[in-house]
Amino acid sequence: MYNHAKTGYQHWGVDTEDAIARCAAIPLSLHCWQGDDVTGFENPGGALSGGIQTTGNYPGKARGKDDLFKDLDFAYSLIPGKKRLNLHAIYGISAGGAAPVKRDELDIVHFEPWLAWARGRGIGIDFNPTLFSHPLASEGLTLSHPDRKVRDFWIRHVKATRKIAAYLGEQQGSPCLHNIWIPDGLKDVPADRLGPRERLRDSLDQIFSVSYDRSFIIDVMESKVFGIGLESYTVGSAEFYLSYAAKRGLYPLLDNGHYHPTELVSDKISSVLSMFDKMALHITRPVRWDSDHVPLFEDEIREITKEIIRCRGEERVLIGLDYFDAGINRIAAWVTGARNVQKALLYALLQPHDELKKLQDALNFSKLLVWQEELKTLPFGAVWEEYLRRQNCPGDWFPAVEQYETEVLRKRV
Ligand code: RNT
Ligand code: ZN
């Protein structure tokens, strides 16, 4: 079937061997937080807050570091391609099970176990400060809070996480993506929109007054349109961070759940790449709003990956996953979303982009439309199967997850 597919694609000028090799080299940063519904290790019973929410109570949530390491290993074994790990600061590990460290006192030592785990597997780590699920974030305001003491606490936290990220990047020999996302916003109509944004700008200026070697850390900031309970105003909007990043020589992160429903991230990538040498993505699936459902193999995901490939962005667009479904088997959620993004990357690599661009530039829109439609039914499945085979990844993987659920997940209480 693969050989048949290979010939079929050749007819359209596409080399399936080249696509398979390139797909295997594109790093995908897997979010650790799907494993425990964004709980972290600070307070196992703690509730998620900050305008984001998980719903569902499927059995088998990771109860701590041992469960999470085990689940990650299992999930990674079912996902093809080059993987990284995206960690949040609330997953710090205190020595000998000591009490969790305050967020503004987090240090390198609390992430050494993660570094050891990742090193043994050839995985690079990306990192995020956690500015939610905390008493000092309970009003939905952190780096833009009117109280200087609250802002100072969070500035110290992000300074600490950047130091950790730079250390991780240095140790692992590949830059650590450090992404700042804050929930800051208001539920109801603001009386002052500028004040909080000026305070956020000032907090960021203090944070970025410390510089690190850019081969160790890549600094990005993630914008948003609204949060749950923070519907009327978001301090860190798209325009705010894009301007800030451009002005300070930093980078934006675009989460495809953070825009109005008819605004598409696939259309934004080329705009950002024409001004920045790099950018980052959070791939998720919004359903009506930023709902963080498991990504599917659907049009917009394919359009995003096609843009990455067309813009020769394989090394410029840093791809991370961001979704959290507590209503289904969490391993199945992780693996389905990650495999779908891999699938979409392979699909995008199997398009004759140069030919299609030529048709566009020749204003041959009839042929362009016909080709784009005919390409959709080429035997993609056979190339995907072959890619999985070469990656030692099962095609039919769900039975292993069902077995893991019975033997491991259902025994957790
Ligand atoms: C929230 C942002 C953010 C978080 C993670 C947990 O809307 O998308 O990326 O999902 O930091
Ligand atoms: Zn996100």
Side-chain angles (χ1 to χ4, degrees):
M1 278 171 74
Y2 173 64
N3 285 332
H4 172 74
K6 191 173 169 176
T7 318
Y9 273 102
Q10 261 161 9
H11 174 78
W12 296 85
V14 173
D15 179 351
T16 54
E17 287 296 313
D18 180 60
I20 288 175
R22 283 169 71 190
C23 193
I26 302 175
L28 193 60
S29 197
L30 258 84
H31 54 316
C32 72
W33 52 90
Q34 166 60 62
D36 72 343
D37 314 336
V38 211
T39 304
F41 304 155
E42 264 180 10
N43 174 13
L48 179 59
S49 69
I52 55 175
Q53 199 174 31
T54 52
T55 57
N57 193 22
Y58 201 83
K61 164 179 170 169
R63 298 158 300 181
K65 66 176 171 46
D66 296 335
D67 286 351
L68 197 56
F69 280 133
K70 193 177 167 77
D71 292 353
L72 276 167
D73 268 329
F74 181 53
Y76 276 55
S77 75
L78 302 173
I79 301 165
K82 186 168 175 185
K83 294 164 287 274
R84 294 176 65 88
L85 175 71
N86 202 359
L87 262 189
H88 242 286
I90 44 171
Y91 293 84
I93 297 171
S94 316
V101 187
K102 297 198 182 82
R103 290 203 200 163
D104 57 341
E105 291 171 10
L106 281 168
D107 214 335
I108 287 159
V109 62
H110 308 114
F111 294 89
E112 289 287 4
W114 282 109
L115 192 59
W117 179 87
R119 201 178 257 149
R121 290 155 180 79
I123 288 170
I125 299 180
D126 297 313
F127 202 52
N128 306 262
T130 311
L131 296 100
F132 52 84
S133 303
H134 188 279
L136 287 181
S138 59
E139 289 131 334
L141 293 165
T142 62
L143 291 174
S144 74
H145 200 289
D147 182 346
R148 169 170 287 282
K149 285 200 284 305
V150 176
R151 293 201 301 282
D152 283 347
F153 172 82
W154 291 113
I155 291 167
R156 287 197 302 277
H157 171 60
V158 185
K159 282 187 164 174
T161 58
R162 285 186 74 236
K163 178 185 163 194
I164 296 163
Y167 173 78
L168 293 171
E170 182 177 11
Q171 293 296 309
Q172 68 200 12
S174 94
C176 175
L177 186 85
H178 180 276
N179 172 41
I180 301 176
W181 171 73
I182 61 171
D184 296 36
L186 296 174
K187 177 169 174 141
D188 231 317
V189 190
D192 176 17
R193 290 183 168 89
L194 183 61
R197 289 189 170 133
E198 287 180 336
R199 290 195 291 268
L200 175 56
R201 186 195 59 205
D202 179 65
S203 296
L204 293 172
D205 284 350
Q206 293 185 53
I207 288 165
F208 293 117
S209 68
V210 183
S211 36
Y212 292 100
D213 190 321
R214 285 176 173 239
S215 61
F216 300 159
I217 179 171
I218 299 172
D219 283 296
V220 301
M221 290 151 300
E222 178 180 4
S223 64
K224 194 164 178 176
V225 67
F226 81 96
I228 300 169
L230 304 166
E231 288 85 359
S232 298
Y233 167 70
T234 300
V235 185
S237 61
E239 295 77 9
F240 178 91
Y241 282 130
L242 202 57
S243 325
Y244 190 86
K247 211 158 185 168
R248 300 280 191 265
L250 309 168
Y251 299 101
L253 181 148
L254 280 60
D255 178 313
N256 67 308
H258 291 187
Y259 297 88
H260 290 283
T262 58
E263 251 190 295
L264 300 172
V265 163
S266 55
D267 187 55
K268 299 178 188 296
I269 293 171
S270 52
S271 295
V272 177
L273 286 184
S274 55
M275 301 293 161
F276 291 83
D277 65 322
K278 276 193 258 307
M279 61 176 288
L281 289 180
H282 268 182
I283 299 198
T284 186
R285 175 165 49 112
V287 177
R288 302 197 189 281
W289 66 87
D290 176 38
S291 57
D292 295 296
H293 283 57
V294 176
L296 304 181
F297 184 58
E298 63 181 357
D299 286 351
E300 172 59 2
I301 298 292
R302 285 196 292 263
E303 207 55 32
I304 288 174
T305 55
K306 281 197 276 180
E307 279 301 313
I308 297 171
I309 303 303
R310 280 171 189 153
C311 298
R312 312 226 177 290
E314 286 152 88
E315 284 169 15
R316 298 169 66 196
V317 182
L318 308 164
I319 313 171
L321 303 177
D322 182 18
Y323 49 91
F324 22 98
D325 193 334
I328 56 175
N329 180 304
R330 292 171 185 78
I331 311 275
W334 247 329
V335 176
T336 303
R339 282 172 73 116
N340 282 337
V341 176
Q342 279 272 316
K343 241 183 243 169
L345 283 166
L346 183 63
Y347 186 88
L349 287 159
L350 289 165
Q351 304 287 308
H353 296 294
D354 292 342
E355 280 307 308
L356 296 171
K357 280 182 196 171
K358 271 187 215 150
L359 292 175
Q360 177 177 314
D361 289 344
L363 312 187
N364 193 344
F365 301 123
S366 318
K367 191 167 174 186
L368 177 58
L369 181 70
V370 170
W371 270 47
Q372 283 174 327
E373 288 308 295
E374 290 302 320
L375 287 161
K376 286 183 179 170
T377 48
L378 292 188
F380 169 70
V383 186
W384 170 249
E385 290 287 324
E386 178 64 12
Y387 175 66
L388 290 174
R389 198 183 62 75
R390 295 191 196 176
Q391 290 282 320
N392 290 318
C393 254
D396 184 16
W397 54 276
F398 195 59
V401 174
E402 288 177 306
Q403 190 183 345
Y404 189 82
E405 179 172 324
T406 311
E407 290 171 7
V408 180
L409 301 178
R410 295 238 170 221
K411 297 198 170 132
R412 291 179 187 164
V413 279

